[in-house]
Amino acid sequence: MSATIIDGKQVASEVRAEVATGVAAFVERHGRAPGLATILVGDDAASAVYVGGKQKACAEVGIQGFDHRLPGDATREQLVALIEQLNADERVSGILCQLPLPGHLDGVEMTNLIAAEKDVDGLTVGSAGRLALGLPGLRPCTPAGVIRLLDHAGAQLSGAEAVVIGRSNLFGKPMAQLLLQRNATVTIAHSRTRDLEAVAARADVLIAAVGRAEMVRGRWIKPGATVIDVGINRLAEPPAGRRSSLVGDVCFDEAFPVAGAITPVPGGVGPMTIAQLLANTLQAAELQAG
Ligand code: NAP
């Protein structure tokens, strides 16, 4: 038996359709659309592509986009003033400061200036604290998207052994918290974990977010496990028989015959992040509107 493929593109398009419906209802009730402000400092090409993708996605579901750009030599004071202005702007439901910032600006400090109710990336200390305490709040987009994929795949989380490989603030830690909230027994593994293979092999739900191409091998996977591959790694050229040079942290060809369900790369977790950002923006607008 081989694994069921968890189709992130399909689930993301379902989320976007739900958001579009929710946005239309919001406009009906409040006479204005939810708004997402993005801030891009400098001219990093990859960041510009990400921000452009987020603005385009907003337009497609009826969210008003506010696209703010500052030059790469913008001062701390300029960026602080912009964030404060957006915090006070009632048309802006959510604020996203694209990271990384140029070296002279502190991404953690700047992110934390975003008002809690507008923190649609869920990355401020306040949002992380609310998540850790099990209080309602805006959740980081990629881990929230993974929960949605797990639910779509029918994964049983309560009581399951879940292993998250990677402990970043962006993904691994909030992912573990969300799994804990769903009553999984959670292990967070990282670069100092002893015998990672044995730890991974215990997992009913195995989530890899490392950034090392195809590190998780087929023999690491418990037969029938649900495998979520968060990694995005670009190889010099596509692997044999593939069109894309993007690969995940899981060796898909080895995992596929063993796992019960698995996300592909590309087309798995990746599409969920922007979809969840849109969902968070609508949620933020609804909370602010009471
Ligand atoms: P990160 O901040 O670099 O964290 C990587 C984690 O992997 C760290 O906790 C590190 O452990 C751990 N690690 C590194 N080498 C390891 C090894 N040999 N064995 C076990 N653990 C190891 O990365 P991130 O931001 O979480 O992202 C991880 C991957 O997910 C990247 O490929 C990124 O592109 C992708 N990603 C995708 C999306 C999306 O699909 N939208 C969103 C976010 C991230 P230590 O803490 O001990 O160093």
Side-chain angles (χ1 to χ4, degrees), residues 24-42:
F26 185 93
V27 172
E28 187 109 318
R29 280 199 305 277
H30 302 287
R32 65 179 174 86
L36 176 68
T38 53
I39 303 173
L40 177 62
V41 185

Side-chain angles (χ1 to χ4, degrees), residues 139-274:
R139 306 308 194 205
C141 299
T142 308
V146 168
I147 290 288
R148 176 90 190 211
L149 287 178
L150 288 168
D151 286 341
H152 171 85
Q156 170 70 32
L157 296 180
S158 183
E161 287 271 357
V163 173
V164 181
I165 313 178
R167 57 175 165 179
S168 66
N169 294 332
L170 180 69
F171 182 81
K173 286 177 193 160
M175 186 72 250
Q177 293 286 357
L178 288 173
L179 290 164
L180 199 55
Q181 276 185 9
R182 296 289 297 270
N183 298 317
T185 302
V186 185
T187 302
I188 308 180
H190 45 78
S191 66
R192 313 291 173 87
T193 296
R194 268 186 287 126
D195 201 354
L196 184 57
E197 180 176 335
V199 172
R202 291 203 308 260
D204 303 307
V205 175
L206 178 63
I207 301 180
V210 179
R212 292 171 77 98
E214 302 187 323
M215 183 186 87
V216 176
R217 311 308 302 258
R219 63 177 185 276
W220 295 26
I221 293 166
K222 180 174 173 177
T226 301
V227 178
I228 304 288
D229 191 352
V230 184
I232 302 175
N233 310 285
R234 189 175 288 282
L235 302 181
E237 52 189 64
R242 302 265 193 86
R243 274 187 299 170
S244 173
S245 59
L246 288 186
V247 297
D249 291 341
V250 177
C251 181
F252 185 89
D253 291 345
E254 289 183 11
F256 181 64
V258 187
I262 187 167
T263 56
V265 176
V269 175
M272 294 302 293
T273 300
I274 290 186

